[in-house]
Amino acid sequence: MKLLLLSSGSGPINYYFMQYLPLLVIILVGFSYVHDRDSKEIIYIQSRVGLKHYYIGKIISVFLVAFFVFTIPFIIEMIFNCIAFPMNATGDLSNVNIYEKSYIEAVKNYFYYNLYVIHPYIYTLFITLVFGVICGILNVFVVAISMYNIKFKILLFLPVYILLYGIGMIGHIFPSIKVSLSYFDYLSIFDCSRKSLLGYCLIIVLILLVSIVMTMTKSRKDSL
């Protein structure tokens, strides 16, 4: 399982995927509202379902499409991994004994490491689903921003990029922060760096709430 694309143990493959994730996550559905607006399709849809239902339906559909796009391929990869490698395989790519204290301490830095200890495959599936949820929320965030008449579509690549790298820069500005703030560590599976689960969840919820507030505000403004 530690050879999966989302696994930090897959080396350069995981690194480059995470490096370009802020851009990749937007390409599929991040421009959907802009497309509706530029093609005038938004007028037809809003006349059929109403402004409020259009905006609500848009963010729900964007979330679901992004979730499935960034979940199903990785689940298929897991299935192929289970077919190709023995299910009862143990050990680590670093060749560290799984009973050594250093390895046990590293495992404790995994998100929900208790689930990993009980069943690594269920743990991997769970984290993959969480990854899909986060990609969905990031797309909703970009679509909510695009509703405010962004003139150039290429600028929609910036919000997620600035958000993710901006949070990571906080750790460099304030060295006293002892936990990792890099999204690489939070979105990769089997990452053993020290992280803050509470801070991670709060940021995700905050992004979702901001996106919903922006969407509802736009809906009310257009209804006047």
Side-chain angles (χ1 to χ4, degrees), residues 108-112 167 177-182 185-186 191 193-204:
K108 288 183 178 180
N109 287 326
Y110 292 176
F111 275 140
Y112 307 104
I167 294 174
I177 299 177
K178 301 301 181 182
V179 297
S180 172
L181 296 178
S182 171
D185 301 334
Y186 286 86
D191 183 84
S193 60
R194 188 178 178 187
K195 298 175 283 289
S196 171
L197 178 59
L198 177 61
Y200 174 69
C201 293
L202 287 176
I203 290 174
I204 296 302

Side-chain angles (χ1 to χ4, degrees), residues 27-44:
I27 291 176
L28 293 176
V29 289
F31 301 105
S32 60
Y33 175 82
V34 175
H35 171 75
D36 289 351
R37 183 193 65 197
D38 293 347
S39 65
K40 308 301 181 182
E41 188 176 349
I42 187 173
I43 299 175
Y44 171 75

Side-chain angles (χ1 to χ4, degrees), residues 104 106-118 123:
I104 295 173
V107 168
K108 288 183 178 180
N109 287 326
Y110 292 176
F111 275 140
Y112 307 104
Y113 77 94
N114 289 325
L115 179 59
Y116 172 77
V117 173
I118 295 172
Y123 169 83

Side-chain angles (χ1 to χ4, degrees), residues 149-160:
N149 298 322
I150 303 298
K151 186 175 182 180
F152 301 105
K153 290 195 294 185
I154 195 171
L155 295 178
L156 294 177
F157 282 111
L158 295 179
V160 172

Side-chain angles (χ1 to χ4, degrees), residues 38-134:
D38 293 347
S39 65
K40 308 301 181 182
E41 188 176 349
I42 187 173
I43 299 175
Y44 171 75
I45 299 175
Q46 289 180 349
S47 66
R48 299 283 294 181
V49 300
L51 283 170
K52 183 177 181 180
H53 289 92
Y54 168 76
Y55 285 118
I56 295 175
K58 174 59 68 176
I59 62 173
I60 292 176
S61 61
V62 163
F63 173 82
L64 291 176
V65 170
F67 171 77
F68 286 115
V69 166
F70 285 95
T71 299
I72 293 178
F74 296 116
I75 293 178
I76 294 174
E77 183 189 22
M78 287 178 55
I79 295 172
F80 286 156
N81 184 276
C82 293
I83 295 172
F85 300 100
M87 295 284 288
N88 59 350
T90 60
D92 188 76
L93 295 173
S94 63
N95 290 324
V96 176
N97 190 300
I98 62 173
Y99 297 106
E100 285 190 16
K101 184 177 180 180
S102 59
Y103 178 79
I104 295 173
E105 291 298 323
V107 168
K108 288 183 178 180
N109 287 326
Y110 292 176
F111 275 140
Y112 307 104
Y113 77 94
N114 289 325
L115 179 59
Y116 172 77
V117 173
I118 295 172
H119 203 299
Y121 292 93
I122 294 178
Y123 169 83
T124 304
L125 176 61
F126 173 73
I127 298 299
T128 301
L129 294 175
V130 171
F131 177 79
V133 169
I134 293 171

